[in-house]
Amino acid sequence: MISGSRMSSRAMRAVYVRKFGAVDQMKVEENVAVPKLEDKQVLVKLYASGVNPVDTYIRSGQYGKLPTIPYVPGKDGAGLVDAVGSGATRFKVGDRVFCSQTVRYGTLAEFTAMDEDHVFPLADSLDFAQGAAIGIPYFTAYKALLLKGRAKKGDRVLVHGASGSVGLAAVQLAKAYGMTVVGTAGTAEGLELVSSQGADAVYNHRDSSYMDKLKKNPETKFDVILEMLSNVNLGHDLELMKPKGRTIIIGCRGPVTINPRDMMGPETEVIGCALFSSTPEEWNLIGERVAEGISSGWVKPVINKIYDLHKAGEAHHDVIHSTGAKGKLVVRVQE
């Protein structure tokens, strides 16, 4: 039995990818069937969809698990619970929620069906655009910094690419947990934004001398480094870690050459981090902690730009090709 609106006679608007490739192969289609709800799922009426780089990797076929074409893109979203399956017990119709990690149905649509474990309460203090900006960025930041990086109060943390959505989430998280944070960004606006989120120091990673400045004082090395572009920075990171330090690889766009000797004496670690490889136990823990962060106030998503649904392809382009990240890109699904 399903509690809430009946889906059989309803239709929706959704963005469909008809085949992998260029932006013009992704378009809005009308009268799409509302997803069928299974027992332990929640049907969410979406108002906003978060845009993540992984959305573009899937579209281009450069991802481990690819959907069957055609499909609706999008992994993060926010809206209202519209119906619940008979086995779903955590939510009721009308609840404000954010969701992440869709299995079959993407969030660039007016409705999505989501496993209950991937739906979380959204406090009134955040709007739907901010809710759509929580999932992948904040869950990734938490997993990288605390589960993989084992960071603790008093640690020094370096966040490369701190003006992006994951980077800003990491800065907010690290400061909430009592760490000293250094962040990098590529524009004056980005540097100002990172500083406004609590970073203790900021560096422009487009300044050719910024690595030398970071390495200049050996007493200011880092316990944990969050690396968004390891193909560029990893070799330097090995020189920036304290003894027993950890560099967590969150992003990479190509191969890199390093000298492992830089890791031997100080016994440092380089650790890969992929949110989609999380165990159910990790996922539930991260969800609980991020939900607590919303209540306590440290989860404060920064929205860079909001696109209309028919400009979702433009948002996909911009998330990869922007000249300087300044927060999250979000698509408005409906008013």
Side-chain angles (χ1 to χ4, degrees):
M1 180 178 178
I2 295 174
S3 173
S5 303
R6 301 302 301 175
M7 282 83 72
S8 59
S9 60
R10 303 170 68 187
M12 65 173 180
R13 289 190 308 155
V15 173
Y16 260 97
V17 174
R18 285 295 172 187
K19 63 179 180 178
F20 297 124
V23 168
D24 61 5
Q25 293 164 347
M26 189 170 83
K27 67 177 184 178
V28 176
E29 297 191 8
E30 306 282 347
N31 298 318
V32 177
V34 171
K36 183 179 179 181
L37 195 61
E38 298 178 3
D39 284 349
K40 293 186 178 182
Q41 289 186 331
V42 175
L43 184 72
V44 180
K45 183 178 182 180
L46 293 163
Y47 289 90
S49 174
V51 181
N52 296 288
V54 68
D55 299 325
T56 69
Y57 305 154
I58 293 170
R59 283 187 58 203
S60 64
Q62 300 175 17
Y63 193 68
K65 186 176 181 180
L66 299 175
T68 301
I69 303 172
Y71 74 98
V72 178
K75 287 187 172 292
D76 290 342
L80 299 174
V81 173
D82 192 76
V84 295
S86 59
T89 59
R90 294 173 49 201
F91 299 97
K92 65 181 184 302
V93 173
D95 283 349
R96 300 177 84 251
V97 295
F98 72 94
C99 53
S100 187
Q101 292 269 43
T102 57
V103 178
R104 293 177 55 197
Y105 307 104
T107 56
L108 281 175
E110 292 178 331
F111 293 92
T112 192
M114 186 84 65
D115 290 348
E116 184 181 42
D117 289 343
H118 293 264
V119 181
F120 305 90
L122 180 64
D124 291 338
S125 58
L126 300 180
D127 60 30
F128 289 130
Q130 291 174 305
I134 295 173
I136 288 176
Y138 281 85
F139 280 43
T140 298
Y142 190 97
K143 183 175 184 179
L145 185 64
L146 297 179
L147 299 190
K148 294 297 185 179
R150 309 187 300 278
K152 61 186 184 302
K153 183 177 180 179
D155 278 354
R156 279 180 55 82
V157 176
L158 172 62
V159 182
H160 284 293
S163 63
S165 56
V166 176
L168 290 171
V171 171
Q172 294 171 4
L173 173 61
K175 293 305 298 180
Y177 278 67
M179 302 169 199
T180 298
V181 184
V182 175
T184 77
T187 66
E189 287 179 302
L191 293 168
E192 183 178 353
L193 176 58
V194 174
S195 181
S196 74
Q197 299 304 303
D200 299 280
V202 293
Y203 290 84
N204 189 330
H205 55 224
R206 291 182 179 167
D207 179 348
S208 60
S209 64
Y210 94 98
M211 277 292 182
D212 293 332
K213 294 175 182 177
L214 283 172
K215 296 175 184 178
K216 187 174 182 180
N217 186 351
E219 295 181 0
T220 60
K221 288 189 175 184
F222 300 94
D223 299 284
V224 179
I225 299 174
L226 300 189
E227 183 52 76
M228 312 295 175
L229 196 61
S230 54
N231 55 297
V232 172
N233 300 317
L234 186 57
H236 297 293
D237 294 335
L238 302 188
E239 301 179 54
L240 291 172
M241 285 186 282
K242 292 181 179 180
K244 312 296 185 182
R246 287 83 65 198
T247 290
I248 314 303
I249 298 179
I250 299 173
C252 183
R253 296 188 184 180
V256 62
T257 299
I258 63 171
N259 185 352
R261 287 185 178 275
D262 292 332
M263 303 173 62
M264 294 168 64
E267 294 188 332
T268 54
E269 301 175 58
V270 175
I271 304 169
C273 179
L275 181 61
F276 303 153
S277 297
S278 301
T279 65
E281 293 77 19
E282 288 174 330
W283 184 260
N284 291 333
L285 173 64
I286 296 169
E288 290 174 4
R289 296 295 183 266
V290 171
E292 290 171 2
I294 297 173
S295 298
S296 62
W298 67 259
V299 173
K300 298 176 289 187
V302 177
I303 307 302
N304 178 12
K305 185 175 180 179
I306 298 177
Y307 302 76
D308 290 333
L309 190 61
H310 70 277
K311 291 189 176 181
E314 181 180 328
H316 274 206
H317 174 273
D318 292 350
V319 77
I320 294 296
H321 299 288
S322 63
T323 56
K326 299 185 293 293
K328 185 72 173 179
L329 304 183
V330 173
V331 174
R332 182 188 297 108
V333 178
Q334 57 187 316
E335 298 292 341

